[in-house]
Amino acid sequence: MMESRNNKQQPDLWEEDVRQSPEMLVVDVDGFEGPLDLLLDLARAQKVDLAKISVLALAEQYLLFIERHRTLKLELAGDYLVMAAWLAYLKSRLLLPEPTEDDDTIGEELAAALAVRLQRLEAMRKASSLLMNRDRLGRDIFARGEPEIRIERKSAYQATLYDLLSAYARLGRRSAQSVVHVTKRAVWSLGEAREALLRMMGDVAEWTPMTVFLSPYLVTAQIRRTVMASGFGASLELAREGKLELRQSWTFGPLMIRTPASGHDRGATNG
Amino acid sequence: MAEQGIVHLFPKGAGEAPAVEPQLRALEAILFASSEPVSEAELQGRLPEGSNCSELLGALEQLYADRGVNLTKVAKGWAFRTSPDLAHLMAREVVEQRRLSRAAQEMLAIIAYHQPVTRTEIEEIRGVATSRGTLDLLIEIGWVRICGRRQAPGRPVTYGTNDAFLEHFSLDRVSDLPGIDELAASGLLEKTVAPVLQRDDDETPADDEGDDEKLDRIYLDTDIEAEAGG
Amino acid sequence: MAEQGIVHLFPKGAGEAPAVEPQLRALEAILFASSEPVSEAELQGRLPEGSNCSELLGALEQLYADRGVNLTKVAKGWAFRTSPDLAHLMAREVVEQRRLSRAAQEMLAIIAYHQPVTRTEIEEIRGVATSRGTLDLLIEIGWVRICGRRQAPGRPVTYGTNDAFLEHFSLDRVSDLPGIDELAASGLLEKTVAPVLQRDDDETPADDEGDDEKLDRIYLDTDIEAEAGG
């Protein structure tokens, strides 16, 4: 995702342009904006309070959906596959709740956290529509059209950090004669792996096998290596930065990861 | 009878014609002449010495309550705005506004309700990477600004809304966002998802990870706090 | 208690039916929001079918006769104007917010990130000669100050930012300025920036001055044009 932007106006920002963006065409699975959006839609189909949804059923529906699209050979963005991997794992935990002595993960807890995430997203959706439907200046209500202010030439100059940074960036661009790099998505970059891990693991306090993220959902024949390598690399990097904890109980044993928590014993961070 | 106060400020019959309260006239003129909200402090400074600004504002607000133009409290100041029910008449004045994409709308809402918020937190809530440029656009429109930094590892930049946002959406302050109290009460404005189930062991639950974090959220971005509070 | 909103609050001549109310409200809103005087013909077209426009205008004019704002007929049509006796209040309106020119933004950025920095160094980084006025402006605004002198031949004056700068940008200290990398990572900036801007980069070419300057001129805001020219 590091390709440089050669035009300032992004094509997919405004409503009418959404469909034209090639990036969105990949991400946009049947009009969904990301895996959580898809999950939310599936959850709504259960027609119960989001707090009471069956996460197990939801996981199954999601996996089914992903399977269907995979057989259609649609290119699915990494986010969807990471979620699929995660849900496959969650499903297994929910079906076979037998925590090992090392692994205190509780399936129900993860499921509940997922439900809360869905509620939170739904709440923001509602908030967004409340906001957009307010009486808006210049659309529903109007200010004085002909202000009668005799402006004295006393100016308060106004600049934002953004102006400052943009100016700085502009300088660099001018002298660097910037080269446009267009990266293809054939590789799962370290950066992507990192972001995906952060996003998915952001709220998981339990020791979770790393392989969850490198499951078959993620690894198609073409990108197997890059996913394995980047995923592993990214987890090491995150561990080094203290954003993730790693644990491996025996040589070649499953690599477990979790979010560091102040209350937890700091897990060994040997990779 | 609640109108009593105004009745004596503005004479009922044209014939009686006692001088219209001069302070109210002045206030009316200043606010009417400005297209942008004027803060109470500034109004106070421009009114004659000894005027009770907030009382006058209250009277003026009431006076215009049923008119085609209303006095509204917006973005921590006061401004006259056309009445919302007359929107249909105002088609000629509408500035063509392109609609924000759904992603941008959602992002704006998240920034507004969760501010100050980092980009990673926004993405966590949405569960999807943010298309480059969406944040850019919101900043360019002038509704979102960089607030400061989170006192956390990496000291990430935080984002929030600004006065132009409040003005556009006819809000006086961030705490007036629709439904924000209910959302806060239901815990859905927490940036960390708290496990709902209770644990048997008394290990610190995961969401306490951010004890310091939470304090940060409350106290750090002082400017935003000021906005919300004052 | 038959206090009919405006009938009560806004006194008008006897005999007028309350049915006029909604039309008066409409007229009020249209005239308020319009950016120029509106002709009677246009008003007639925008009011509900069957409205007697000139009668309504007369009523509205009378209604506002003693107010801080009056309805007046000017050459092109009708408009609200603040009452002439309150003109003195209009002069002291808000200070105008102005944006820095691109050149000034760039210079401020360089000073902020490289302080203490000399004028020659600024020019080297920008790759163009700097108009004296831009630096003066930044000092006048109160964001840039003279820090001291460089221990180097000629002992050139160095510049840096001051407390007003930090305050304006809501920063605690200079080191809280967002980093380029960080902003690039969040998609706000393109990532092609960093290496050129290191200070040890002494051989940054300052040639091509002419061309770049010309480009600059194109982007300069008019206000700075004036500054720079003078």
PDB file of all heavy atoms in Angstrom, chain A residues 171-194:
ATOM      1  N   LEU A 171       8.261  20.504  -0.166  1.00  0.00           N
ATOM      2  CA  LEU A 171       9.666  20.835  -0.340  1.00  0.00           C
ATOM      3  C   LEU A 171      10.458  19.617  -0.744  1.00  0.00           C
ATOM      4  O   LEU A 171      11.242  19.641  -1.683  1.00  0.00           O
ATOM      5  CB  LEU A 171      10.246  21.323   0.986  1.00  0.00           C
ATOM      6  CG  LEU A 171       9.947  22.737   1.383  1.00  0.00           C
ATOM      7  CD1 LEU A 171      10.390  22.930   2.810  1.00  0.00           C
ATOM      8  CD2 LEU A 171      10.691  23.673   0.464  1.00  0.00           C
ATOM      9  N   GLY A 172      10.219  18.560   0.025  1.00  0.00           N
ATOM     10  CA  GLY A 172      10.971  17.344  -0.231  1.00  0.00           C
ATOM     11  C   GLY A 172      10.693  16.844  -1.628  1.00  0.00           C
ATOM     12  O   GLY A 172      11.585  16.414  -2.343  1.00  0.00           O
ATOM     13  N   ARG A 173       9.434  16.939  -2.007  1.00  0.00           N
ATOM     14  CA  ARG A 173       9.048  16.445  -3.308  1.00  0.00           C
ATOM     15  C   ARG A 173       9.743  17.232  -4.403  1.00  0.00           C
ATOM     16  O   ARG A 173      10.224  16.696  -5.369  1.00  0.00           O
ATOM     17  CB  ARG A 173       7.530  16.587  -3.463  1.00  0.00           C
ATOM     18  CG  ARG A 173       6.912  15.492  -4.272  1.00  0.00           C
ATOM     19  CD  ARG A 173       5.475  15.284  -3.871  1.00  0.00           C
ATOM     20  NE  ARG A 173       4.709  16.507  -3.883  1.00  0.00           N
ATOM     21  CZ  ARG A 173       3.937  16.897  -2.885  1.00  0.00           C
ATOM     22  NH1 ARG A 173       3.867  16.167  -1.803  1.00  0.00           N
ATOM     23  NH2 ARG A 173       3.250  17.998  -2.960  1.00  0.00           N
ATOM     24  N   ARG A 174       9.808  18.545  -4.187  1.00  0.00           N
ATOM     25  CA  ARG A 174      10.368  19.388  -5.217  1.00  0.00           C
ATOM     26  C   ARG A 174      11.828  19.055  -5.441  1.00  0.00           C
ATOM     27  O   ARG A 174      12.296  18.946  -6.557  1.00  0.00           O
ATOM     28  CB  ARG A 174      10.217  20.853  -4.831  1.00  0.00           C
ATOM     29  CG  ARG A 174      10.316  21.774  -6.011  1.00  0.00           C
ATOM     30  CD  ARG A 174       9.650  23.088  -5.724  1.00  0.00           C
ATOM     31  NE  ARG A 174      10.353  23.826  -4.667  1.00  0.00           N
ATOM     32  CZ  ARG A 174       9.749  24.653  -3.846  1.00  0.00           C
ATOM     33  NH1 ARG A 174       8.462  24.824  -3.911  1.00  0.00           N
ATOM     34  NH2 ARG A 174      10.423  25.292  -2.928  1.00  0.00           N
ATOM     35  N   SER A 175      12.546  18.876  -4.351  1.00  0.00           N
ATOM     36  CA  SER A 175      13.971  18.636  -4.545  1.00  0.00           C
ATOM     37  C   SER A 175      14.249  17.177  -4.858  1.00  0.00           C
ATOM     38  O   SER A 175      15.263  16.848  -5.440  1.00  0.00           O
ATOM     39  CB  SER A 175      14.761  19.106  -3.336  1.00  0.00           C
ATOM     40  OG  SER A 175      13.963  19.092  -2.198  1.00  0.00           O
ATOM     41  N   ALA A 176      13.357  16.302  -4.468  1.00  0.00           N
ATOM     42  CA  ALA A 176      13.634  14.888  -4.707  1.00  0.00           C
ATOM     43  C   ALA A 176      13.202  14.446  -6.098  1.00  0.00           C
ATOM     44  O   ALA A 176      13.560  13.375  -6.546  1.00  0.00           O
ATOM     45  CB  ALA A 176      12.917  14.031  -3.667  1.00  0.00           C
ATOM     46  N   GLN A 177      12.461  15.275  -6.784  1.00  0.00           N
ATOM     47  CA  GLN A 177      11.957  14.899  -8.104  1.00  0.00           C
ATOM     48  C   GLN A 177      11.329  13.523  -8.019  1.00  0.00           C
ATOM     49  O   GLN A 177      11.754  12.591  -8.672  1.00  0.00           O
ATOM     50  CB  GLN A 177      13.102  14.862  -9.133  1.00  0.00           C
ATOM     51  CG  GLN A 177      13.793  16.187  -9.340  1.00  0.00           C
ATOM     52  CD  GLN A 177      12.876  17.203  -9.984  1.00  0.00           C
ATOM     53  OE1 GLN A 177      12.054  16.864 -10.811  1.00  0.00           O
ATOM     54  NE2 GLN A 177      12.988  18.451  -9.580  1.00  0.00           N
ATOM     55  N   SER A 178      10.324  13.407  -7.220  1.00  0.00           N
ATOM     56  CA  SER A 178       9.855  12.108  -6.772  1.00  0.00           C
ATOM     57  C   SER A 178       9.547  11.143  -7.912  1.00  0.00           C
ATOM     58  O   SER A 178       9.054  11.520  -8.964  1.00  0.00           O
ATOM     59  CB  SER A 178       8.607  12.282  -5.919  1.00  0.00           C
ATOM     60  OG  SER A 178       7.533  12.606  -6.760  1.00  0.00           O
ATOM     61  N   VAL A 179       9.887   9.924  -7.665  1.00  0.00           N
ATOM     62  CA  VAL A 179       9.636   8.857  -8.618  1.00  0.00           C
ATOM     63  C   VAL A 179       8.356   8.158  -8.206  1.00  0.00           C
ATOM     64  O   VAL A 179       8.108   7.955  -7.027  1.00  0.00           O
ATOM     65  CB  VAL A 179      10.799   7.844  -8.598  1.00  0.00           C
ATOM     66  CG1 VAL A 179      10.607   6.797  -9.683  1.00  0.00           C
ATOM     67  CG2 VAL A 179      12.121   8.564  -8.766  1.00  0.00           C
ATOM     68  N   VAL A 180       7.554   7.813  -9.156  1.00  0.00           N
ATOM     69  CA  VAL A 180       6.307   7.131  -8.830  1.00  0.00           C
ATOM     70  C   VAL A 180       6.540   5.623  -8.815  1.00  0.00           C
ATOM     71  O   VAL A 180       6.954   5.039  -9.808  1.00  0.00           O
ATOM     72  CB  VAL A 180       5.209   7.464  -9.856  1.00  0.00           C
ATOM     73  CG1 VAL A 180       3.930   6.721  -9.523  1.00  0.00           C
ATOM     74  CG2 VAL A 180       4.986   8.965  -9.881  1.00  0.00           C
ATOM     75  N   HIS A 181       6.318   5.031  -7.659  1.00  0.00           N
ATOM     76  CA  HIS A 181       6.418   3.580  -7.573  1.00  0.00           C
ATOM     77  C   HIS A 181       5.021   3.007  -7.546  1.00  0.00           C
ATOM     78  O   HIS A 181       4.205   3.428  -6.749  1.00  0.00           O
ATOM     79  CB  HIS A 181       7.111   3.147  -6.281  1.00  0.00           C
ATOM     80  CG  HIS A 181       8.432   3.804  -6.082  1.00  0.00           C
ATOM     81  ND1 HIS A 181       9.563   3.424  -6.736  1.00  0.00           N
ATOM     82  CD2 HIS A 181       8.783   4.846  -5.290  1.00  0.00           C
ATOM     83  CE1 HIS A 181      10.571   4.199  -6.354  1.00  0.00           C
ATOM     84  NE2 HIS A 181      10.125   5.072  -5.475  1.00  0.00           N
ATOM     85  N   VAL A 182       4.741   2.082  -8.379  1.00  0.00           N
ATOM     86  CA  VAL A 182       3.461   1.406  -8.300  1.00  0.00           C
ATOM     87  C   VAL A 182       3.717  -0.040  -7.883  1.00  0.00           C
ATOM     88  O   VAL A 182       4.375  -0.787  -8.585  1.00  0.00           O
ATOM     89  CB  VAL A 182       2.703   1.450  -9.640  1.00  0.00           C
ATOM     90  CG1 VAL A 182       1.375   0.724  -9.521  1.00  0.00           C
ATOM     91  CG2 VAL A 182       2.488   2.889 -10.057  1.00  0.00           C
ATOM     92  N   THR A 183       3.208  -0.356  -6.710  1.00  0.00           N
ATOM     93  CA  THR A 183       3.445  -1.695  -6.195  1.00  0.00           C
ATOM     94  C   THR A 183       2.290  -2.603  -6.573  1.00  0.00           C
ATOM     95  O   THR A 183       1.144  -2.222  -6.452  1.00  0.00           O
ATOM     96  CB  THR A 183       3.537  -1.670  -4.652  1.00  0.00           C
ATOM     97  OG1 THR A 183       3.895  -0.361  -4.257  1.00  0.00           O
ATOM     98  CG2 THR A 183       4.546  -2.667  -4.179  1.00  0.00           C
ATOM     99  N   LYS A 184       2.613  -3.775  -6.986  1.00  0.00           N
ATOM    100  CA  LYS A 184       1.546  -4.721  -7.265  1.00  0.00           C
ATOM    101  C   LYS A 184       1.199  -5.476  -5.999  1.00  0.00           C
ATOM    102  O   LYS A 184       1.992  -5.567  -5.083  1.00  0.00           O
ATOM    103  CB  LYS A 184       1.998  -5.716  -8.350  1.00  0.00           C
ATOM    104  CG  LYS A 184       2.009  -5.087  -9.721  1.00  0.00           C
ATOM    105  CD  LYS A 184       2.286  -6.145 -10.776  1.00  0.00           C
ATOM    106  CE  LYS A 184       2.365  -5.519 -12.151  1.00  0.00           C
ATOM    107  NZ  LYS A 184       3.045  -6.382 -13.112  1.00  0.00           N
ATOM    108  N   ARG A 185       0.019  -6.030  -5.975  1.00  0.00           N
ATOM    109  CA  ARG A 185      -0.432  -6.677  -4.744  1.00  0.00           C
ATOM    110  C   ARG A 185      -0.089  -8.151  -4.676  1.00  0.00           C
ATOM    111  O   ARG A 185      -0.638  -8.876  -3.867  1.00  0.00           O
ATOM    112  CB  ARG A 185      -1.942  -6.492  -4.588  1.00  0.00           C
ATOM    113  CG  ARG A 185      -2.322  -5.147  -4.063  1.00  0.00           C
ATOM    114  CD  ARG A 185      -3.808  -5.104  -3.811  1.00  0.00           C
ATOM    115  NE  ARG A 185      -4.182  -5.975  -2.697  1.00  0.00           N
ATOM    116  CZ  ARG A 185      -4.311  -5.530  -1.463  1.00  0.00           C
ATOM    117  NH1 ARG A 185      -4.100  -4.279  -1.189  1.00  0.00           N
ATOM    118  NH2 ARG A 185      -4.670  -6.345  -0.490  1.00  0.00           N
ATOM    119  N   ALA A 186       0.816  -8.581  -5.535  1.00  0.00           N
ATOM    120  CA  ALA A 186       1.145  -9.997  -5.543  1.00  0.00           C
ATOM    121  C   ALA A 186       1.817 -10.422  -4.237  1.00  0.00           C
ATOM    122  O   ALA A 186       1.764 -11.576  -3.858  1.00  0.00           O
ATOM    123  CB  ALA A 186       2.044 -10.320  -6.720  1.00  0.00           C
ATOM    124  N   VAL A 187       2.434  -9.489  -3.590  1.00  0.00           N
ATOM    125  CA  VAL A 187       3.069  -9.796  -2.313  1.00  0.00           C
ATOM    126  C   VAL A 187       2.250  -9.249  -1.173  1.00  0.00           C
ATOM    127  O   VAL A 187       1.612  -8.210  -1.296  1.00  0.00           O
ATOM    128  CB  VAL A 187       4.468  -9.151  -2.190  1.00  0.00           C
ATOM    129  CG1 VAL A 187       5.535 -10.205  -2.270  1.00  0.00           C
ATOM    130  CG2 VAL A 187       4.644  -8.058  -3.193  1.00  0.00           C
ATOM    131  N   TRP A 188       2.297  -9.988  -0.097  1.00  0.00           N
ATOM    132  CA  TRP A 188       1.734  -9.484   1.144  1.00  0.00           C
ATOM    133  C   TRP A 188       2.890  -8.817   1.852  1.00  0.00           C
ATOM    134  O   TRP A 188       3.757  -9.503   2.383  1.00  0.00           O
ATOM    135  CB  TRP A 188       1.178 -10.646   1.953  1.00  0.00           C
ATOM    136  CG  TRP A 188      -0.027 -10.286   2.755  1.00  0.00           C
ATOM    137  CD1 TRP A 188      -1.105  -9.591   2.329  1.00  0.00           C
ATOM    138  CD2 TRP A 188      -0.279 -10.631   4.112  1.00  0.00           C
ATOM    139  NE1 TRP A 188      -2.022  -9.462   3.336  1.00  0.00           N
ATOM    140  CE2 TRP A 188      -1.540 -10.106   4.441  1.00  0.00           C
ATOM    141  CE3 TRP A 188       0.432 -11.332   5.085  1.00  0.00           C
ATOM    142  CZ2 TRP A 188      -2.095 -10.265   5.705  1.00  0.00           C
ATOM    143  CZ3 TRP A 188      -0.126 -11.496   6.334  1.00  0.00           C
ATOM    144  CH2 TRP A 188      -1.385 -10.953   6.636  1.00  0.00           C
ATOM    145  N   SER A 189       2.914  -7.505   1.833  1.00  0.00           N
ATOM    146  CA  SER A 189       4.085  -6.826   2.361  1.00  0.00           C
ATOM    147  C   SER A 189       4.121  -6.939   3.879  1.00  0.00           C
ATOM    148  O   SER A 189       3.118  -7.219   4.525  1.00  0.00           O
ATOM    149  CB  SER A 189       4.064  -5.358   1.955  1.00  0.00           C
ATOM    150  OG  SER A 189       3.091  -4.680   2.716  1.00  0.00           O
ATOM    151  N   LEU A 190       5.297  -6.667   4.407  1.00  0.00           N
ATOM    152  CA  LEU A 190       5.468  -6.663   5.851  1.00  0.00           C
ATOM    153  C   LEU A 190       4.498  -5.656   6.473  1.00  0.00           C
ATOM    154  O   LEU A 190       3.874  -5.908   7.493  1.00  0.00           O
ATOM    155  CB  LEU A 190       6.918  -6.277   6.167  1.00  0.00           C
ATOM    156  CG  LEU A 190       7.440  -6.702   7.534  1.00  0.00           C
ATOM    157  CD1 LEU A 190       7.366  -8.206   7.691  1.00  0.00           C
ATOM    158  CD2 LEU A 190       8.862  -6.211   7.718  1.00  0.00           C
ATOM    159  N   GLY A 191       4.392  -4.554   5.785  1.00  0.00           N
ATOM    160  CA  GLY A 191       3.499  -3.505   6.280  1.00  0.00           C
ATOM    161  C   GLY A 191       2.058  -3.974   6.342  1.00  0.00           C
ATOM    162  O   GLY A 191       1.351  -3.747   7.318  1.00  0.00           O
ATOM    163  N   GLU A 192       1.635  -4.659   5.291  1.00  0.00           N
ATOM    164  CA  GLU A 192       0.262  -5.157   5.264  1.00  0.00           C
ATOM    165  C   GLU A 192       0.039  -6.195   6.354  1.00  0.00           C
ATOM    166  O   GLU A 192      -0.983  -6.186   7.046  1.00  0.00           O
ATOM    167  CB  GLU A 192      -0.040  -5.781   3.899  1.00  0.00           C
ATOM    168  CG  GLU A 192      -0.314  -4.766   2.817  1.00  0.00           C
ATOM    169  CD  GLU A 192      -0.497  -5.436   1.469  1.00  0.00           C
ATOM    170  OE1 GLU A 192       0.523  -5.893   0.908  1.00  0.00           O
ATOM    171  OE2 GLU A 192      -1.631  -5.525   0.999  1.00  0.00           O
ATOM    172  N   ALA A 193       1.006  -7.080   6.466  1.00  0.00           N
ATOM    173  CA  ALA A 193       0.906  -8.122   7.484  1.00  0.00           C
ATOM    174  C   ALA A 193       0.797  -7.484   8.857  1.00  0.00           C
ATOM    175  O   ALA A 193      -0.014  -7.866   9.704  1.00  0.00           O
ATOM    176  CB  ALA A 193       2.129  -9.032   7.416  1.00  0.00           C
ATOM    177  N   ARG A 194       1.611  -6.478   9.051  1.00  0.00           N
ATOM    178  CA  ARG A 194       1.666  -5.779  10.310  1.00  0.00           C
ATOM    179  C   ARG A 194       0.323  -5.137  10.624  1.00  0.00           C
ATOM    180  O   ARG A 194      -0.213  -5.275  11.718  1.00  0.00           O
ATOM    181  CB  ARG A 194       2.744  -4.710  10.167  1.00  0.00           C
ATOM    182  CG  ARG A 194       3.243  -4.135  11.421  1.00  0.00           C
ATOM    183  CD  ARG A 194       4.072  -2.920  11.065  1.00  0.00           C
ATOM    184  NE  ARG A 194       3.816  -1.921  12.061  1.00  0.00           N
ATOM    185  CZ  ARG A 194       4.561  -1.803  13.158  1.00  0.00           C
ATOM    186  NH1 ARG A 194       5.611  -2.570  13.316  1.00  0.00           N
ATOM    187  NH2 ARG A 194       4.255  -0.918  14.063  1.00  0.00           N
TER     188      ARG A 194
END
